[in-house]
Amino acid sequence: MKTLYIECNMGAAGDMLMAALLELLPDKENFLNKINSMGLKGVKVEAEKSVRCGITGTRIIVKIGDGSNAKEESSIDVDLNAEKPEHHDHHEHDHEHNHEHDHEHGHKHEHEHEHEHEHHHSHSHRSLGDVEAVIYGLNVSEGVKKNALEIYKLISEAEAHVHGCPAGEIHFHEVGSLDAIADIVGVCLLIEELAPDKIAASPVNTGSGFVRCSHGILPVPAPATAFLLSGIPVYSGNIKAELCTPTGAALLKHFAGTFGPMPEMTICKTGYGMGKKDFKAANCVRVFLGEGTCKADTETSDQIAELSCNIDDMTGEALGFACQSLLAAGAKDAFSAAIQMKKDRPGQMLTCICDAKKADSFAELMFKHTSTFGIRKKILSRYILGRSTEVKKTPLGDVRVKTGKGYGVIKNKLEYDDVAELAKKNNCSIMEMEYKLWKNLKN
């Protein structure tokens, strides 16, 4: 089981998470080209090497604007014992807090930067609907759009709860929202590319002290961040700074399935995503990608939804694209089968298998990508063998072995991708390579 573990000893912020995950990819330039060509106008994402406490990692820079006017936003930590607030380059950007917005109540908030004197910049604002329109228009997969929208809704709900108004009335700072969209979509793109089977995270260090935003001076964690971290183990530590931002909290809440110590796993790669400020401790988010080695040997069961529709007026290419879109969005399976329809017309039945709780969203995707006017839904219970994956070393190379246990049976299977790669390297067939690997493993 491919496992991703996120270590939040120095909190979490969107740009730091993106930087850490980027370090796990073999081709970083390809990702940067992809995110900079996805259609987010006025935004440029860059990556640079950064060293904190002797550790080398990557720092992500999200610039808003064109040419010499491009700038990177920053937040302001506050020392209440000082006469003036201290301006720190920090994890993330002022918009990250999403504290800057207009309510329908009629009071407008302005973005503040603290330097030797105050500068006030007034910007237009985007509603949640505006942000959704931007995300829908990006050149990314349906799965990335879906995750990004769900994360942004979490932030909007948190802000609405704090300010006592409906989520639809929250208006985000325009420059900040573009920056936050880049961070959120970037992390979603990386998660899609890494495709972990399990994501876990450590308890989150929120930092402490105070942070300045357009509403004034707020305690750390900021109210929206505290709301997002509900149900997640956190601690404050001794660092007087905002370590976990609303965007970082929302990303963790959406993607991490569990929080606690690192699960038993064989580490394959480690990534370091650096913040801008220096602390006594290395200011970074660290991620580990590896193979889970936990022993799952008991049978389980769960509920799934089976969505299906009959199609007789789509091309094979269009139907194939629909299947791929469903799989990219996280369907457990999607496939088509030849059927005979009324009036003896040949057709295809498209079937999507998904988590029962997500049936509505997958039905929306099926309507979007097919010509059907109706979708059938069945809620089914299924039996599942307890599963585990272990990396085995052989003279031919490393291979992952998947084991299923339960209901009185034990099954072992070689991971196809590993077998195929070794077959290519050794110029032999899949069947021959499987035979050689099993022979070595039995010996």
Side-chain angles (χ1 to χ4, degrees), residues 2-4 189-199 289:
K2 186 188 289 187
T3 300
L4 175 67
L189 278 168
L190 288 161
I191 292 292
E192 179 181 72
E193 188 153 349
L194 293 168
D197 299 308
K198 175 182 178 180
I199 301 177
L289 186 66

Side-chain angles (χ1 to χ4, degrees), residues 16-155:
M16 294 172 71
L17 285 166
M18 193 187 340
L21 294 171
L22 180 59
E23 289 222 319
L24 302 179
L25 294 185
D27 190 347
K28 298 177 179 60
E29 287 302 319
N30 181 58
F31 169 78
L32 292 173
N33 291 335
K34 184 183 296 185
I35 194 170
N36 284 317
S37 62
M38 67 181 178
L40 195 56
K41 296 180 181 179
V43 176
K44 176 72 172 178
V45 179
E46 301 174 352
E48 66 178 19
K49 287 295 180 186
S50 179
V51 180
R52 295 287 180 267
C53 297
I55 300 173
T56 301
T58 297
R59 188 169 86 84
I60 287 289
I61 303 170
V62 181
K63 292 184 177 179
I64 309 296
D66 299 318
S68 60
N69 294 323
K71 64 178 181 179
E72 182 184 12
E73 296 289 294
S74 60
S75 66
I76 307 170
D77 296 326
V78 176
D79 181 0
L80 294 182
N81 295 319
E83 292 184 4
K84 291 186 178 181
E86 296 179 356
H87 183 199
H88 293 315
D89 285 332
H90 185 47
H91 286 67
E92 220 156 331
H93 325 298
D94 214 15
H95 76 278
E96 261 282 322
H97 314 304
N98 287 322
H99 304 315
E100 304 85 355
H101 48 265
D102 270 340
H103 296 303
E104 296 299 323
H105 314 312
H107 53 279
K108 183 174 182 180
H109 306 288
E110 292 185 338
H111 179 54
E112 293 185 357
H113 295 285
E114 286 285 332
H115 302 297
E116 292 180 0
H117 56 278
E118 288 187 348
H119 301 282
H120 298 275
H121 304 285
S122 180
H123 303 278
S124 59
H125 295 68
R126 292 175 186 262
S127 68
L128 179 60
D130 295 330
V131 173
E132 289 175 344
V134 172
I135 293 174
Y136 276 125
L138 297 178
N139 182 27
V140 294
S141 72
E142 292 297 327
V144 168
K145 291 178 184 178
K146 180 175 178 292
N147 282 324
L149 288 168
E150 288 180 357
I151 291 162
Y152 229 99
K153 286 178 182 177
L154 286 175
I155 297 172

